[in-house]
Amino acid sequence: MCGIVGITGHENVVTDLVEGLRRLEYRGYDSAGVAIVQTDSVRVIKQQGKINDLERVLPWDELHGSCGIAHTRWATHGKPSKLNAHPHSSGALAVVHNGIVENYTALKVRLEGKGHLFRSETDSEVLAHLILDQYDGNLETAVQRALKLVEGTYGIAVVHADEPDKIVGARRGSPLLVGVGDGANYLASDVAAIMGHTRQVIYLDDGEMVVLTPQDVTTMNVDNQEVTKEIQEITWDLERIQKGGYPHYMLKEIFEQPQTVLDSFRGRILPESGDVKLGGIQLTDRELLAIKRIIIIACGTSWHAGLVGEYLLEEYARIPVEVEYASEFRYRSPVIEPGTLCLTISQSGETLDTLEAMREAKRRGAKVIGITNVVGSTIARESDCGVYIHAGPEIGVASTKAFTSQVTILILLTLLFGRRRHLGIEIGKRTIEELQRIPDKIQQVLDQSAAIRAIAEVYAQHSNCLYLGRGVNFPIALEGALKLKEISYIHADGYPAAEMKHGPIALIDPNMPVVVISTRDSSYEKIRGNVQEVKARQGKIISVVTEGDTEIAAASDHVITIPETMNMLTPLLSVIPLQLLAYYTAVIRGENVDQPRNLAKAVTVE
Ligand code: G6P
């Protein structure tokens, strides 16, 4: 999704702005551009396509300036095109914008009436004209006046040639942070963009603005009152957002999972008492016991993790759980009674629907625990308390390691709630012992990657695929199908295996690959029947079975095994082959695995 970088104070910012945009590529975008402040104008260069396409059209020899802003755009209003790309300019002013200006039509009519000439189809361009319209020599004042007229969401960076070393940023509903440097300062929508320059970061909150010059950072609100902000230190390495020898980030992230799952539970388990300790959850035992119902709110892959959580929390902690799509939750009139806890799950911590749903839950009195990966993200900051999943930066648009880490946290939360209710010490201890073995077991599944690639070779050119699972593996079927469609563009559906006969069975013929997750658990006998139903219709069966299984294996065309584990922990293993299957299928089809078409890493619009 759209990305912002701004730099003031480098000798020549062009190369560093482009480098910053590159670090935002993973978020997904369709065009890019830069605005460099020059002697009496702001030079704007933009291009449809990738950063390489932009680089090709940059007049490097002519572009010099110590202050500039840059943007990667993901189309919302107006198609992907050079004209619609940001920055947008008006006179000697340029702006980049993430978010949506909801009242742009009314503003545009008014500004056109005053002689402003619009060139693009975007809502964002209105900001350039609006701010210029308010400009009388001081950029922050103009931004403040303009933003009072704007309805909608924004993260913006603005420059004006009359104040050549100044960048003004403002935020409402779209992330923005400041990098504090030495003789140079930075503005970005994502810390990855500026990490090569500084690790000192200020996260802006909604309603806040910042004025940057090479020497100073001044934070204020839109009413021009100064706001004091804390500088935070980024502790992870730039290396963690590089590919480390893998051809794609997604493959790197799949293979990191033995480590990332370990990082998620390390230091949080209490093996002696079969319990867990989560530093971010400051609830007393009494408060934990007062929780009567849990609502899980998320989108996409995080929603699938939530579905796994529903099975775990209901079965082992005996708390009623509902899992809601954030986009639906926020516009219903959800019933929040005393004792309702809301778990908000989001890798990025910035997904707008999830954030707004969380705010709605808070308004209605729910206590909110945020489960996020990105430290300092908006959801992490606005939830009542939270748990970081510690998966490290996830760059591939299709989420993999964040999913297994989210599930790991949900397992820990199940133990936390369960041990204060009906879950005995023995099962608590056994779960923790087994959880400690999971990283090695994930590695055992990863070791079969060549065999999984061979299966992908057989089916890569098919047009459809069905995924079936039962119980805790039903959400894994959904996640497997989502992974495949996200990156290979093959139509795929996930179903509870028994539900197949109410519809999808009509699709089964010798051309339909069916991935069946049939691990040894209480639903094994039932799913064996479902496998036979597929076989009877000559569907091609790819089974994910527990090591040592012979019955389902015998009925299948292809078999992938996962090590035996406790039912509660199975999803951490059963999802791995499905991630690999999707990955290899997309690679064989020649698709852009890390940046699939139309998708974005963090969806910061509705
Ligand atoms: C986008 C991403 C998905 C992700 C979803 C939710 O659609 O492409 O991979 O699962 O957003 O994102 P979140 O950051 O809230 O987990």
Side-chain angles (χ1 to χ4, degrees), residues 299-302 346-348 351 397 399 486 600-601 603:
C299 302
T301 288
S302 299
S346 174
Q347 185 285 130
S348 61
T351 302
V397 166
S399 184
E486 278 179 313
K601 183 69 188 160
V603 180

Side-chain angles (χ1 to χ4, degrees), residues 95-126:
V95 61
V96 293
H97 168 229
N98 290 353
I100 291 177
V101 180
E102 282 164 6
N103 60 336
Y104 82 100
T105 316
L107 291 172
K108 185 174 173 180
V109 169
R110 201 186 316 161
L111 289 159
E112 279 177 331
K114 291 174 124 186
H116 287 268
L117 191 67
F118 281 74
R119 298 181 204 94
S120 77
E121 306 157 329
T122 66
D123 56 325
S124 304
E125 188 184 352
V126 83

Side-chain angles (χ1 to χ4, degrees), residues 327-392:
S327 53
E328 288 297 314
F329 180 88
R330 62 180 286 203
Y331 288 116
R332 291 199 294 105
S333 186
V335 180
I336 308 271
E337 301 142 322
T340 302
L341 172 75
C342 173
L343 293 182
T344 309
I345 309 177
S346 174
Q347 185 285 130
S348 61
E350 303 292 353
T351 302
L352 191 72
D353 280 327
T354 312
L355 175 62
E356 288 300 339
M358 177 182 92
R359 287 174 175 161
E360 183 61 28
K362 278 181 84 174
R363 269 194 289 274
R364 289 173 185 252
K367 187 120 194 135
V368 177
I369 297 181
I371 302 175
T372 56
N373 190 30
V374 177
V375 176
S377 57
T378 311
I379 290 175
R381 285 180 291 133
E382 288 195 17
S383 42
D384 293 308
C385 54
V387 192
Y388 284 120
I389 64 172
H390 293 321

